[in-house]
Amino acid sequence: MTEAVSENSEVTVLLVDDNPQNLKVLYETLKDKGYRLLIANEGEKALDLAHRHQPEVILLDIMMPEMDGYEVCERLKADSQTADCAVVFLSALDDLQAKVKGFSLGGADYISKPFQSQEVIARVKTHASVIRLERELQARNRELQSDQARILNSISEGIYGLDENGLIEFANPAAALIMGAPVEELIGRNFFATHFATAGDNPDSLPVKATCQQGVAENQRDIRMLRADGTGFPAEYRSTPKLDGDELHGAVVVFRDITAELDSERALEEARHLVQEQRDQLAHTSRLTTMGEMAAGVAHEVNQPLTAITNYARVAKRMMAKETADMGLLQETLDKIEAQSHRASEIIRRIRRFMKKPVTGKEVLSVSALLEDTRQFAEVDMRNNKGAIELVVPDDMPDVMADPIQVQQVALNLIRNALEATSSVSSAAPVEVSASRQGDTCVRIQVRDHGVGLPEDAEEKLFLPFFTTKDDGMGIGLSTCRSLIQAQGGDIGFQRPEDGGACFYFTLPVAGAQGAPCTPEDAAPKA
C-alpha cells in the first residue's frame, strides 16, 4: 500500500487498516477536509509513516494480521517522536474490555465499524485540534525553557534551586564554575554540607536554612563558603523562598565569589589611607610654609612681651634695692610681668597649635571662637600689610563639626591672601570675614577683599594644584584648602563681587545635623 497525501494540509492524519475497502471509505470521508492523509495497510508500515511524519491523528484498526492495533499503539506511545499523537481505534469489537485495553495502551478514542462519516469527521477534527494545541503549547514551553536556560547560562552569579531540605535540584554553569565541579555533580548534593564546614555543629543557624524551611529571605556578604574540593572562598549570597502559592518548596540561592572584589576594596582602602597621609603631609607642609613666611612677624610679636617682662623685672629690682620698697608699686609691677608672660605664652600656644599635626580629627567647634582665634593669628599679616580685619558672626550661629587646625589653616590662608590683595591696591577697606547659615545643614564662611580681583580665566584653574596668580607663589595653597575643606564634608568656592575685589567662601557641616554633606548648591547664597 502506498501513501496518499493531500497537499496544503495543516494536520496530518494516518489511516491504518488491513481492509482496502475500509481505507477507501476513510480516505473518501476525509479527503476534502484539508488534512494531509497518509495510508498504511499493516502495522510496520504505519509505524514507519508515523515516525517520519508525526501525524496528529491516527485512525488505527485493531484487528490486523501480524501486528494488531494494540501493539501498534503501544509502540507508537513508546516512541518519543510519536508519543503525543491521538490514536483513535477502529474496530467492530464493541465490548467494554476491548475499549479499556485500548485506552490503557494510550488510545484517545474509539470508533466502531461500520463507520459513520459524520462521526469520523467530528472525532478527527476534535482530536486534531487538541493535538495541535498541545503541540503548540509544548513548542512554546520548549521556547520558554530555552530562553530561561540561555538567561541562566549567561548569568555570572551562581544559582541554586534547593528543596526544603537543602538538596540541590538545579545549578547553573556559573555555580559549577565557582564550585569547580560539573553541574551534574552538584545536583543532588546537600547545600549545607557541601558549602559549610560547620554544618553539623549548629544546623539551625546555617545560612539559607531559614529560607528553605521558614520562607525567610536572606542576604549576607563576606561569608565563607566551601568549594567542592574543600577550599574556602568569601561569598555574597541572596536567598529567596521557592513558593507554589502559599506552599514552600525550598529556596533559590544566588551567590558569587567576591575574592577579587574584596582584594580591590582592600587596595582601594590602602590607596585612600595613602592619599590621606599625603594630604595631611601636604597640609602640614603648607602650615610650615605659612609659618616660615610669618616668622619675622611672629618673632616680633613674641619679642614684645618678652621685652616688656625684662623691663618690668628691672624696675622691680630697682624698687627692691631701695631701703623702703613701695610694696604696692612692686605688686603692680609683678602683675604686669605676669600679664606679659601670659601674653607671650598665648602667642606661643597659638603657634604650637597651628603647627602641630591634627590627631583628634573632627570636633564640635564654635564658629565665632574659631574665626577670632584665626584673626588674632593673622595680626602679624595685618601689620605687615597695614590692613584690618572685620569679623562678623551672628550670635545664633550654630556650631560646626570639623577639624579645628585644618579649618583654621584654610581661613588663615584666605585671610592672608585677602590682606595682600587689599594692600596691593593701597585700599584702607578692611578684609571682611563673615559667617552665615546655609539651610539646616551648613555654615558658610566667606572672606572678601577689596583688591584687584582675579583674572577672567582664573576661576576654572583656581583650585588646581600648582596654579597661582602670585609671582612668588607655589600654587599649593588653594589646592590644599580645597582638599582640607572637602575632607570636612564641605566645599570651597570663589565669587566675583560686582563692586570689585574677590570673595572666597567655604562651607562646613552643622554639628549634629542630619542629611547629606554640604554641596556646592548648599554653598550658593540664598536670595
Side-chain angles (χ1 to χ4, degrees), residues 143-202:
E143 184 179 345
L144 291 174
Q145 289 172 355
S146 178
D147 291 342
Q148 185 182 39
R150 281 196 295 272
I151 292 172
L152 292 174
N153 292 343
S154 65
I155 293 176
S156 61
E157 295 176 311
I159 299 176
Y160 282 146
L162 308 180
D163 71 6
E164 58 273 17
N165 296 314
L167 292 179
I168 300 174
E169 297 177 324
F170 168 82
N172 71 340
L177 183 64
I178 296 173
M179 285 295 292
V183 169
E184 296 74 19
E185 289 188 15
L186 298 177
I187 303 298
R189 285 194 178 197
N190 184 278
F191 171 80
F192 308 111
T194 300
H195 283 294
F196 301 103
T198 59
D201 297 339
N202 192 5

Side-chain angles (χ1 to χ4, degrees), residues 305 308-313 315 329-344:
I309 290 171
T310 302
N311 292 335
Y312 287 132
V315 171
L329 182 58
L330 181 59
Q331 180 63 44
E332 184 180 342
T333 304
L334 292 175
D335 289 343
K336 291 180 179 178
I337 291 175
E338 183 183 16
Q340 290 300 322
S341 66
H342 281 307
R343 179 187 170 192

Side-chain angles (χ1 to χ4, degrees), residues 363-375 391-402 404 407-408 411 433-437 442-446 506-511:
E363 56 187 73
V364 178
L365 303 176
S366 164
V367 176
S368 59
L370 181 73
L371 294 181
E372 174 57 27
D373 200 29
T374 308
R375 189 195 66 78
L391 184 59
V392 179
V393 180
D395 294 336
D396 61 348
M397 184 58 53
D399 292 340
V400 296
M401 178 62 74
V407 174
Q408 190 181 56
V433 180
S434 60
S436 59
R437 186 157 184 167
C442 288
V443 167
R444 169 182 164 125
I445 297 171
Q446 71 176 31
F506 61 88
T507 58
L508 295 172
V510 172

Side-chain angles (χ1 to χ4, degrees), residues 123 397 504-505:
R123 298 203 180 202
M397 184 58 53
F504 286 85
Y505 65 85

Side-chain angles (χ1 to χ4, degrees), residues 205-226:
S205 63
L206 287 170
V208 189
K209 195 82 170 185
T211 307
C212 286
Q213 298 186 346
Q214 301 172 29
V216 179
E218 293 181 10
N219 184 2
Q220 289 196 57
R221 187 173 189 274
D222 197 8
I223 184 171
R224 191 163 186 80
M225 295 176 66
L226 299 179

